[in-house]
Amino acid sequence: MIARFVLGLGLAIALAAGPALADDVNGVWLRESGASKVKFAPCGGAVCGTLVWIKEGTDTPAKVGQRLFDRMKSTGPNAWAGSYNNPDDGKTYDATMTLSGGTLTTSGCAFGGMICRSSTWSRAN
């Protein structure tokens, strides 16, 4: 009887912690173009992404240390939504991220989702 209670309690705790069992997005990610790396880390109950490296010779107004992804909050297993600060035009866009294994896909949208652009990232070593 006690063993069933403990097993049931353990199962209930595991199910309640579902989103916490999602793949970990924290760490450094390399953009598909190979031109930049962003480090995702916890920030105030969400996840934020900060530019940590730009490939030499890359023409961009972005600066190392600039926060690109802001207040990315979990929307389900391996999915987040927040905002993207675009250094190219200085504007902020709605953004989403999805993680599948070692691939992170980010998407920023304008005009209520009518125009979107996405990028694929891989874990940097």
Side-chain angles (χ1 to χ4, degrees), residues 28-120:
V28 178
W29 293 84
L30 175 67
R31 190 175 186 149
E32 63 198 342
S33 66
S36 61
K37 292 180 184 178
V38 169
K39 180 178 182 179
F40 287 94
C43 66
V47 174
C48 294
T50 303
L51 188 61
V52 293
W53 176 81
I54 301 172
K55 184 177 183 179
E56 188 173 324
T58 301
D59 184 26
T60 178
K63 306 270 188 249
V64 170
Q66 183 175 7
R67 183 178 287 177
L68 300 180
F69 295 90
D70 199 23
R71 296 181 305 275
M72 302 299 290
K73 294 191 177 192
S74 177
T75 58
N78 304 321
W80 297 263
S83 60
Y84 173 70
N85 303 307
N86 187 346
D88 293 330
D89 64 12
K91 295 182 180 177
T92 300
Y93 298 94
D94 292 335
T96 60
M97 300 189 314
T98 55
L99 181 60
S100 178
T103 301
L104 177 67
T105 302
T106 60
S107 180
C109 297
F111 302 112
M114 292 177 49
I115 299 174
C116 298
R117 191 169 83 177
S118 63
S119 294
T120 303

